[in-house]
Amino acid sequence: QVQLVESGGGVVQPGRSLRLSCAASGFTFSSYAMHWVRQAPGKGLEWVAIISYDGSNKYYSDSVMGRFTISRDNSKNTLYLQMNSLRIEDTANYYCARADGSGSYYNMDCWGQGTLVTVSS
Amino acid sequence: DIQMTQSPPSLSASVGDRVTITCRASQGVRNDLAWYQQKPGEAPKRLMYAASSLQSGVPSRFSGSGSGTEFTLTISSLQPEDFATYYCLQHNSHPFTFGGGTKVEIK
């Protein structure tokens, strides 16, 4: 079955960097686009970024554009989110999710359990 | 960016009630609309896609409708396991945007 396992979360100071990983299994990772979605404590869902199946297309939310970079290594079945210049408002549970297709306009059909990022001084 | 306005933000209902949740898009999104259910401490789960297509394994008491700018999620007879928060998502254009959520609570 599809399994997505996020890692890399933790406590980090404002302005610092963190890289999240998402290990995928149970499906042909290289055939699917992938998303990152976040949820601040007690708040709603916020879409963060998407990367196409081959990494050639990437899109970001306005709130992370220029600070976060989504990438993937299809040889390792792993999705990444490099987060730079972190802000207190980036504190959230970060989910990776599989897109229901290979391109850049598909919604999420399967989700990981999330990894918590806390930005605090 | 497309804004998704979801209503109501919360509702109280009883087991067996019919429940309707609405999402309005600030501009047309065709039928590029999905609905998700999230229970406390869990990841979201997709219920509907393409506005009205039921995700495999989801009970048939859930249904979706709409196209363009107005969408609804209906639960025909609320069950105890349906108490959760529901979100719509438009994926017609970037950046994708979620509605603010509707928390369905027990009356």
Side-chain angles (χ1 to χ4, degrees):
Chain A
Q1 72 282 17
V2 173
Q3 193 168 13
L4 299 168
V5 179
E6 302 93 337
S7 61
V11 180
V12 61
Q13 292 179 325
R16 303 298 290 266
S17 299
L18 204 61
R19 188 177 82 157
L20 306 183
S21 300
C22 171
S25 60
F27 66 102
T28 305
F29 179 71
S30 59
S31 296
Y32 288 85
M34 295 293 295
H35 296 268
W36 285 102
V37 177
R38 68 184 181 183
Q39 186 170 36
K43 302 297 184 182
L45 299 171
E46 180 188 12
W47 177 79
V48 173
I50 187 172
I51 185 169
S52 59
Y53 73 104
D54 61 355
S56 61
N57 290 301
K58 305 173 186 181
Y59 294 91
Y60 300 91
S61 67
D62 296 344
S63 60
V64 308
M65 180 97 67
R67 300 187 300 122
F68 289 12
T69 302
I70 189 171
S71 63
R72 65 191 298 158
D73 186 337
N74 285 346
S75 69
K76 295 182 178 179
N77 290 345
T78 303
L79 174 72
Y80 301 101
L81 186 68
Q82 177 67 43
M83 305 185 294
N84 298 333
S85 303
L86 281 161
R87 304 168 180 168
I88 290 175
E89 56 266 32
D90 295 320
T91 294
N93 198 26
Y94 284 74
Y95 295 101
C96 71
R98 190 180 75 170
D100 186 11
S102 60
S104 303
Y105 289 86
Y106 290 95
N107 64 72
M108 312 90 188
D109 65 351
C110 301
W111 299 63
Q113 284 303 304
T115 186
L116 181 62
V117 173
T118 303
V119 184
S120 173
S121 54
Chain B
D1 298 0
I2 297 175
Q3 309 303 316
M4 301 301 293
T5 302
Q6 193 172 334
S7 61
S10 65
L11 64 89
S12 294
S14 300
V15 172
D17 284 354
R18 182 181 182 88
V19 168
T20 299
I21 298 168
T22 298
C23 248
R24 288 189 174 87
S26 59
Q27 61 191 78
V29 299
R30 300 186 304 183
N31 70 336
D32 297 327
L33 191 288
W35 289 97
Y36 295 87
Q37 176 194 65
Q38 187 180 33
K39 297 180 180 178
E42 297 185 5
K45 169 188 169 183
R46 190 172 71 171
L47 300 176
M48 312 289 306
Y49 60 95
S52 59
S53 296
L54 189 68
Q55 173 73 27
S56 174
V58 172
S60 58
R61 62 181 179 273
F62 290 92
S63 63
S65 65
S67 183
T69 61
E70 186 149 343
F71 303 87
T72 60
L73 174 71
T74 299
I75 309 172
S76 60
S77 177
L78 198 65
Q79 296 303 301
E81 60 268 31
D82 301 336
F83 291 95
T85 301
Y86 295 84
Y87 296 92
C88 63
L89 166 77
Q90 73 79 19
H91 58 98
N92 176 259
S93 65
H94 293 286
F96 292 179
T97 41
F98 286 94
T102 295
K103 186 173 184 180
V104 177
E105 298 176 302
I106 302 173
K107 182 183 279 186

